Structure formats: C-alpha cells, structure tokens
Amino acid sequence: MLKRIVSGRIVSGIQSIGHRVIESTWRLGYASRFFILVLLKSGTSLRRFNLVVRELYFTGVLSLIIIVVSGLFVGMVLGLQGYETLQKYGSESAVGTLVALSLVRELGPVVAALLFASRAGSAITAEIGLMKATEQLAAMGMMAVDPVARVVAPRFWAGVISMPFLAAIFSVMGVFGGYLVTVIFIGVDEGSYWSQMQSAVDFRFDILNGFIKSCFFGVAVTAIAVFEGYDAPPTAEGVSGATTRTVVTSSLVILGLDFILTAFMFRGVS
Amino acid sequence: MSMTPETLVEVHDLNFSYDRRPILKGVHMTMQRGQVVAIMGGSGSGKTTLLRLISGAIKPTSGYVRFAGEVVHELNRDALFKLRRKMGMLFQFGALFTDLSVFDNVAFQMREHTNLPESMIRDLVLMKLHAVGLRGAHHLMPNALSGGMARRVALARSIALDPMLIMYDEPFTGLDPISLSVIGNLIRRLSDALGMTSIVVTHDVQESLKIVDYVYFIADGVIAAQGTPQEVRQSVAPFVHQFVHGEEDGPVPFHYPAQSYSRDLDLEDSIA
Ligand SMILES: Nc1ncnc2c1ncn2[C@@H]1O[C@H](COP(=O)(O)OP(=O)(O)OP(=O)(O)O)[C@@H](O)[C@H]1O
Ligand SMILES: [Mg+2]
C-alpha cells in the first residue's frame, strides 16, 4: 500500500517535471518565433525612426539617473576595497587599473544590464501588457496597423540601442567614483591612477569586449521584456506576473550569458 | 441569400467554436449599405465573437463572411489589412491609446494610412471631435476622460477615415441618458449622411429600436428572431416578447445569464 503511494508520487513527480520541461521548451520556441517576427517587422521602425527616438527617451533617458548614481557608488566602493587590498602589497597606484578593468570587463555591462532590466525592462513589459489588456493592441489591428511593427519593434530597438550607452556611462561614472575616493579623498597619486589605467586597459580585449557584452544583454533584456508584455494574460494579475517574470528571467539570462561570453572572450588571454 | 449590389455584409451559414464548444451554429445575415442593424442576445451568446468574425480577427469553422464582395477569412494578411481600412470598430471599453492625447488618438489612422498635411489632419480631427461634442477636449490625455467621454472619443477615432462599415460593441452601456441619445442619433446620422453601414451590438432594446433599421436576436448560437423595429415591437413570438419587454418568464430559461441583464435594462429604462 505504502509502496504504491510512494511509487505513485514518484511517477507523478516525474510527470510534472516532464510537463514543465515540455512547457518551457514550447514557450522558448514560441518566444524565438516572436523574436524573429519582431526582427522581420522592424522596417517601420527604421523608416520612421522618430518612433524609436520617442522610445529611446522612455527606455534610455529615464534610466540615466539610476545608472549614473549606481555607477558612481559602485566605482567608489571598488576604489575603497581595491585600495584596502592593494596597499598591503604597496601597489596602491594600481588601483586605477583595478577599478577600470573590473568595470569595463564585468561590472559595467552586467550591473548596468541588471538595472536596465528592472528599470526599463519591467516598464516595457507593463506597458505592452496593459495595452493588450485594455484592447489597445486589438484596436490597432482593427485599424489595419500591425501592433508588432508599431508598438513592439520600436521599443525593442530603443532598448537595444540604449543598453551599450548605459553600460558605457555606468563604467565612466564608476571610474570617476574610484577617482573621487582614491585620489581626492585618500590621496593616491593622480598621475599613476590615470596612466596605469591607460596602459593596462586594452581597447580590443577590454573595451570592445565589454561593448559586445552590453549589446548581447541589451538584445536579451529587451527581447524578454517585449515578449513577456505581448504574451501576458490580458488581466491585471497577468500583467503584474509578466513584469516580475521579465525581471527574474532577464537577470538570470544576463548572468548566464555573461559567463558564456566571458569564457569565449578571455579564453587563452593574459 | 443573394448578393445584390446593395449588400455590404453577407454572413452565410457561419459556424464557430471555441475549443470545440460551438458558439455560432449556422448564422445567416445580410446588411445593406447605409443600414443600421442591431444584434441582440443574452450575455455570452456570441455577439462579440460575431463581430470578430466579420473583422477577420478569427476564422470561422465553416461558412463565410463576405464584406464588400470579398470573403474575409480567405484573404491573406495584407489584403485583410487593406479591407480593414474600410471598417471601423468601437470596442466595448473604448480601447483608446493611453500614451496619445485625444487629438492624436483620432489622428492616428490618418497619420498611419494617409499622406495628408498636418493642417488638414487638424481640421479633420476637430470635425470628428466636434461631431461627438468633444472638440474642447482635444488636448486631454485619455486618463483624464470619463468612461462615457472615452467612448465618444473612440467613436470619433473609429470614423476617422470614413469607413464603409462601423461595428459598435455595446456603445450604450455606462452612458448617461443625454450622451446615450447623442450617440444613438450620431450612429443614425452617420448612416443617413455618409451612407455608412452600422452594426450595433447592444442590450439596450428600447434605445436601439429607436435608431435601427433591422434587428437580429441571437440565442443558442442561432438567429432566434429577426425583423424591423416595427415587427419586433409587435411580435408575439415568445422569445422576442420576453426580450423586448424584459420579462422574467419565457422561453429563455431562468438560469441563463441574460435574465438578470434584461432586468437591469428594465431598471435603466425607468430612470431614463
Ligand atoms: N478567447 C476565448 N476562448 C474561449 N472561449 C471564449 C473566448 N472568448 C469568448 N469565449 C466564449 O464564447 C462565448 C461568446 O462570447 P462573446 O464574447 O461573443 O459573448 P457576447 O455575446 O459578446 O457577450 P457579452 O454580451 O457579455 O459581451 C462565451 O460563452 C465566452 O465564454
Ligand atoms: Mg461582448
């Protein structure tokens, strides 16, 4: 009797795992098809670029504050911690290098993308989801205007364009924050802060790779955000659930992608 | 059902199911140019579904809808979009674009589908807004409108490009008596003056009988009754009588959701 219950539980457990796997694979396929659809219907956005510019304001410009402030603080913390450790070995002049490399290679793209996902990604999902729930997308279709081309694609491209800029601004602010803490407050030599940084940071391996990362993150976050919004059940709970999923999924995807990209980029270097 | 040159919409033996649950079972309808046609029926009887079928948003299981000579579900996407420029639809809750002002909402289709200069768009938009009595509200955002005002703006938006057919999904619910007859008269005027055909889905029996040319009653997925307002008022068919007079007892079973709705309508009428 007990044995049968236990084995029944195991079977239904396996079933539910299988069910979830099938479900998420199906959803992934559906999302990929949607992504391709968005790309195919991007003609309108490119022809009428002011549609994208308008969204650039909402996704990019409105994310600036959080990016600038966070970048500054992350840089200041890096400067403090880096100085703490480096001075033990008498190499506190290398603190500029440490700050710049951590930011440009990793923290800039990754943290900026995480912030971008929670600031702009969630807003995109909520906006598109609400437009769907209030039949605005259906009404648009009835007016012979394709909502994917008119609503989704401009938001997607605005996100893709904003992300590298935001990551770059984050890194610049971080380097400045590090400078503030180590040079201005602690008194590390200004010349060595900048010159060590200049000689250690490589354009190809550090800056370009960081840029490439942020482009990948921009595509990933915005694609997830527009998909979740477009796919949200047209109810209040549906939209709020989709907004949460956007933040959770894109954060995980950012971190996973970062590992994969880093492994490829810095393979056999240094 | 022959296709005279006057016929704009022909619904022929239309069947539709959601998840194998039949919603419409062999519906026949014809609508002439310039006619105002009411579709009535209990809640959940498939009225909105019928509008979605006419606009090509969903495809029938069998049968067809012919609009301006073309079978709607056989069109490819581009042809369907082209056809839809000749249709307007007023959604049950307005569905105004929340990120655009009242003016830009009404101007939306003109900007998307025409190359009219901005000065002409301005004149046209103000004319459409004037028709619904909201010219003075052109600068407001949709969230600053009451439900009834939003519906009127949505109406102005759906007639922006002077379509041949406008479908109204419950245009009267939630309107005060004055706006209600304003909208009712406007629907009538659009047909008389511009020759637009209108399909009005409504529960408001008394108001719609004043303005329409023809009425279809849907129940259980079929046309239960049809006729001119005159015929409908005088009808002794139990179903029609019950619906028009909002009686509790009749062929429509008591547990059917329509029942309480009809009583609600009765209540509204005594206030109006
Ligand atoms: N997307 C859908 N999936 C499954 N069933 C649906 C869907 N949309 C509507 N239905 C069902 O189809 C039936 C007809 O719905 P419809 O919206 O056409 O009714 P209606 O006549 O417009 O009702 P109301 O007067 O309440 O607006 C209802 O029973 C509804 O439950
Ligand atoms: Mg309905």
Side-chain angles (χ1 to χ4, degrees), chain B residues 110-122:
Chain B
M110 304 178 189
R111 290 185 179 142
E112 293 290 328
H113 293 316
T114 70
N115 292 319
L116 295 175
E118 199 60 20
S119 62
M120 190 180 282
I121 288 181
R122 194 187 137 80

Side-chain angles (χ1 to χ4, degrees), chain A residues 22-226:
Chain A
I22 291 173
E23 188 94 320
S24 24
T25 314
W26 186 86
R27 210 173 137 75
L28 190 65
Y30 182 55
S32 318
R33 264 178 48 193
F34 181 73
F35 179 63
I36 291 168
L37 194 71
V38 172
L39 293 184
L40 288 179
K41 294 191 175 174
S42 294
T44 315
S45 310
L46 303 178
R47 250 177 291 121
R48 292 166 58 187
F49 203 69
N50 60 336
L51 290 176
V52 180
V53 172
R54 193 190 129 89
E55 299 308 327
L56 272 177
Y57 173 76
F58 288 108
T59 47
V61 178
L62 293 185
S63 306
L64 263 182
I65 291 282
I66 189 171
I67 291 287
V68 165
V69 173
S70 315
L72 194 67
F73 278 104
V74 167
M76 283 160 62
V77 170
L78 274 179
L80 270 183
Q81 294 279 12
Y83 178 81
E84 247 329 273
T85 310
L86 287 173
Q87 63 142 354
K88 288 185 189 145
Y89 309 100
S91 48
E92 63 266 23
S93 60
V95 71
T97 309
L98 180 119
V99 169
L101 283 183
S102 335
L103 280 167
V104 170
R105 283 184 177 182
E106 287 295 334
L107 292 176
V110 172
V111 179
L114 291 173
L115 293 170
F116 181 73
S118 42
R119 172 66 183 79
S122 61
I124 291 173
T125 303
E127 199 189 7
I128 297 179
L130 279 175
M131 289 185 83
K132 183 181 178 191
T134 52
E135 293 190 306
Q136 294 180 49
L137 298 185
M140 198 174 275
M142 262 313 295
M143 292 185 233
V145 175
D146 188 337
V148 174
R150 182 64 174 67
V151 171
V152 174
R155 283 167 176 74
F156 173 74
W157 285 110
V160 170
I161 294 170
S162 310
M163 189 60 246
F165 285 100
L166 292 172
I169 292 168
F170 186 95
S171 295
V172 169
M173 290 312 296
V175 168
F176 179 67
Y179 167 82
L180 272 186
V181 164
T182 55
V183 178
I184 306 283
F185 297 149
I186 301 179
V188 172
D189 179 55
E190 180 165 4
S192 53
Y193 183 87
W194 294 118
S195 66
Q196 291 233 2
M197 189 187 295
Q198 199 183 5
S199 59
V201 177
D202 182 82
F203 180 77
R204 164 84 180 75
F205 282 114
D206 301 320
I207 297 189
L208 195 64
N209 278 344
F211 174 78
I212 291 172
K213 273 187 185 178
S214 63
C215 290
F216 271 94
F217 297 160
V219 172
V221 171
T222 337
I224 291 169
V226 292

